[in-house]
Amino acid sequence: QVQLVESGGGLVQPGGSLRLSCTFSGNHFSFYTMDWYRQAPGKQRELVATMSTGGTAIYAESVKERFTISKDNAKNTVYLQMNNLKSDDTAVYYCKAEVNHGVLHLGPYWGQGTQVTVSS
């Protein structure tokens, strides 16, 4: 069974930085596409960044040039480096793992979320 645990959230001033981590417990981490989502109060959960198994990163327009997703297969961990944070980035951030490859479907698995608050 896959478990995901996010960490690294907190309170930061506008313009500041945070690095979120998502640690994967289970088998075959390298098979999974890893995503970061966020959900602000009163809003739908939205995709922030995706890291494919091949290392391709895709970002939401709102975070391009500011956020960077990376993956360390040796540590079974995916990261989200967030720079130049804005108040609109305030949300609970979730990690998701999923495999959709041909007939192989695993997940999706979600973490419990970590709160990011951007405020002066």
Side-chain angles (χ1 to χ4, degrees):
Q1 183 67 17
V2 170
Q3 291 187 326
L4 302 173
V5 178
E6 301 99 332
S7 61
L11 173 64
V12 63
Q13 292 186 343
S17 298
L18 282 174
R19 188 177 80 155
L20 305 183
S21 299
C22 171
T23 301
F24 175 105
S25 297
N27 295 321
H28 308 305
F29 174 64
S30 62
F31 288 8
Y32 285 80
T33 295
M34 301 299 297
D35 301 327
W36 283 100
Y37 282 75
R38 67 185 180 187
Q39 188 166 18
K43 294 187 177 181
Q44 289 189 332
R45 191 172 295 189
E46 63 172 351
L47 178 63
V48 174
T50 294
M51 173 67 78
S52 73
T53 55
T56 300
I58 300 174
Y59 300 94
E61 283 295 325
S62 59
V63 307
K64 276 184 180 178
E65 309 297 331
R66 300 189 298 121
F67 289 13
T68 302
I69 188 171
S70 60
K71 191 179 179 188
D72 188 335
N73 285 333
K75 295 183 177 181
N76 280 12
T77 301
V78 62
Y79 303 98
L80 186 68
Q81 177 66 44
M82 305 186 295
N83 298 328
N84 190 21
L85 283 160
K86 306 175 181 180
S87 58
D88 287 347
D89 296 318
T90 296
V92 178
Y93 283 71
Y94 298 90
C95 178
K96 189 189 86 171
E98 188 169 12
V99 175
N100 277 307
H101 186 71
V103 298
L104 182 61
H105 302 283
L106 301 171
Y109 303 102
W110 292 89
Q112 83 289 349
T114 185
Q115 176 71 47
V116 172
T117 302
V118 184
S119 174
S120 54

